[in-house]
Amino acid sequence: WEDLDEVEGYYADSDSVFIYTYGAAIEPNSNVYATQVQCKAHLAQAQLSQIMKEVNGDWEQNVNVSCWFIRWGYNDEWEVEETGYLHFLAFKSKELAEQVMRENTYLLEQYKPLAG
């Protein structure tokens, strides 16, 4: 990262408007994504994190306890799976994960480039 002189790409401003920039110094521009698709995925991830906080309450995932998470599946569709590992889209119950998946298809599609 430090070897880059400048960056080109997109960032979301404080109003969540996507701004294109080029020739920007890497500092303080470490929030510039190479593509607009990646920038939109980042914004969707932030929105999904707020939804997760709302539905999960004070619950936090723990590697010693199974939870449910939403993932982009091998059959090219979103699915809910149980896991004992840490995942971003984690929920305390299968029902909550299924509800969020059902009610937030648009955000999940925007998030897909980060779903890895």
Side-chain angles (χ1 to χ4, degrees):
W1 172 253
E2 288 80 17
D3 292 338
L4 296 176
D5 292 326
E6 50 189 43
V7 294
E8 174 182 352
Y10 295 84
Y11 66 93
D13 70 8
S14 61
D15 294 322
S16 297
V17 173
F18 298 107
I19 308 293
Y20 175 75
T21 186
Y22 61 94
I26 62 167
E27 294 300 333
N29 295 298
S30 58
N31 63 334
V32 175
Y33 287 82
T35 70
Q36 189 175 26
V37 168
Q38 292 167 339
C39 191
K40 286 181 179 180
H42 169 74
L43 187 61
Q45 184 179 43
Q47 293 168 311
L48 287 165
S49 75
Q50 293 295 326
I51 292 168
M52 290 168 23
K53 179 182 172 186
E54 180 70 23
V55 301
N56 282 326
D58 292 335
W59 176 85
E60 292 183 19
Q61 57 180 313
N62 181 326
V63 293
N64 299 318
V65 179
S66 289
C67 66
W68 296 87
F69 76 106
I70 300 172
R71 72 180 194 100
W72 183 246
Y74 299 112
N75 54 357
D76 290 337
E77 62 184 27
W78 292 101
E79 57 190 29
V80 172
E81 186 175 302
E82 188 174 18
T83 185
Y85 297 101
L86 298 177
H87 289 276
F88 172 68
L89 291 172
F91 299 87
K92 61 185 175 183
S93 73
K94 182 178 182 180
E95 293 76 23
L96 286 175
E98 289 173 340
Q99 175 188 344
V100 170
M101 184 175 71
R102 198 174 44 250
E103 294 176 357
N104 296 282
T105 306
Y106 176 76
L107 282 178
L108 288 169
E109 289 301 310
Q110 294 291 313
Y111 170 71
K112 195 185 303 179
L114 297 178

